[in-house]
Amino acid sequence: MKMKRDHLKTIPLFSELTNAELDLILEKAREQRYPRGSIVFYEGDPGDFLMVVLTGKVKVVLLGEGGQEIILAMLGPGNFFGEMAILEAAPRSATVMTAEQSEFLILEQPSFSALIELHPSISQKILKHLSERLRQADEQIRSLAMFDIYGRIAQCLLRLGQTQGKRVDGTLIISDRPSFQELSHMIGCSRETVSRAMKVLQEDGYLSVTRKEITIMRPWHHHK
Ligand code: CMP
């Protein structure tokens, strides 16, 4: 596995860099592969590197003492994480684990800081990313505090539909769907509660669920 410049260019964060700059990153960065289900780091760990997802998928989670887990985000290829500990010189704000076998590009703090300093466009992208993430976290707070279980499921599925869904004949299809266990961790309830609610939503014709996909039958009927 050796990263090529052309691949690096497809990562949104680096898309405006020149070839010479991309080569510099290739020189400084290292790559690492983790099997599915590995802990990349724990909340509270010290850390001074940024990770870019090249392949695979990670979960950003908060773990409770009683074994509870809340999923803050799922990040796929092209996404990055680990910037908060660097920007604040603070410990990791959340635990990150792989949901699939994943490959990462790892950039240490000095290289990351040099990039930010030299390239306002990269700083802007990071700010936009932080803002989007805050907006999403706000939605999650709203959902947890104000919505019942059906509202939370609707909000969560519509968000997934927006980011990874495809529209087909007026329906919205989420392929590579989360498991009911993962859904329960995204919306803060038990897996049994999710199973029951998903059954009702299917019986009422709002959703269709197969092993790989969830189809939202009438996405335009939902409101935020
Ligand atoms: P850091 O605090 O270094 O380590 C955990 C990482 O998870 C953090 O940087 C962010 O990159 C990422 N992260 C934390 N909170 C969220 C969130 N609400 N949504 C998406 N990513 C997050």
Side-chain angles (χ1 to χ4, degrees):
M1 168 180 68
K2 191 71 199 119
M3 182 86 178
K4 296 282 186 329
R5 190 204 282 157
D6 284 346
H7 186 179
L8 202 58
K9 231 183 211 155
T10 65
I11 296 169
L13 189 61
F14 302 139
S15 61
E16 276 148 54
L17 298 181
T18 63
N19 284 343
E21 289 162 342
L22 291 168
D23 288 343
L24 210 63
I25 293 186
L26 287 178
E27 209 175 282
K28 300 269 184 217
R30 60 199 165 83
E31 288 166 58
Q32 200 160 359
R33 177 185 307 192
Y34 285 87
R36 176 194 163 93
S38 330
I39 299 283
V40 179
F41 51 68
Y42 280 105
E43 175 182 355
D45 283 356
D48 55 0
F49 52 88
L50 173 88
M51 298 183 86
V52 181
V53 183
L54 299 175
T55 63
K57 192 159 52 171
V58 300
K59 294 194 286 186
V60 179
V61 301
L62 298 178
L63 301 174
E65 297 202 335
Q68 316 95 304
E69 170 180 330
I70 181 119
I71 299 180
L72 298 174
M74 309 277 295
L75 307 176
N79 281 301
F80 60 89
F81 60 91
E83 77 293 346
M84 287 169 66
I86 299 185
L87 292 169
E88 295 177 82
R92 298 298 187 189
S93 62
T95 299
V96 176
M97 55 176 93
T98 54
E100 297 168 6
Q101 170 176 286
S102 306
E103 291 167 324
F104 303 103
L105 185 79
I106 303 178
L107 209 54
E108 303 285 342
Q109 180 270 327
S111 313
F112 176 69
S113 300
L115 264 181
I116 290 191
E117 241 159 70
L118 289 173
H119 297 282
S121 71
I122 291 192
S123 308
Q124 268 168 18
K125 281 181 186 168
I126 289 173
L127 282 174
K128 178 159 179 279
H129 175 86
L130 289 173
S131 174
E132 283 168 358
R133 183 185 295 163
L134 180 58
R135 183 185 294 267
Q136 203 173 310
D138 290 350
E139 277 306 320
Q140 202 169 10
I141 293 171
R142 187 212 312 267
S143 181
L144 290 172
M146 301 185 197
F147 291 175
D148 68 9
I149 200 69
Y150 294 102
R152 291 190 208 175
I153 288 178
Q155 192 260 359
C156 183
L157 293 181
L158 285 170
R159 178 162 58 79
L160 287 175
Q162 269 164 17
T163 52
Q164 66 180 70
K166 54 178 191 289
R167 291 195 166 268
V168 179
D169 297 334
T171 69
L172 191 55
I173 301 180
I174 301 165
S175 42
D176 192 20
R177 73 168 176 87
S179 65
F180 287 1
Q181 179 85 66
E182 282 170 335
L183 260 179
S184 76
H185 289 154
M186 287 188 242
I187 64 181
C189 66
S190 70
R191 191 181 56 75
E192 292 71 23
T193 305
V194 167
S195 298
R196 273 197 301 275
M198 292 296 279
K199 190 154 170 275
V200 173
L201 288 169
Q202 287 182 81
E203 283 166 0
D204 290 352
Y206 290 109
L207 297 178
S208 145
V209 182
T210 62
R211 205 169 61 81
K212 283 262 175 203
E213 296 180 342
I214 295 178
T215 305
I216 306 174
M217 305 309 282
R218 300 191 294 274
W220 59 89
H221 279 189
H222 295 279
H223 299 282
K224 264 201 161 175

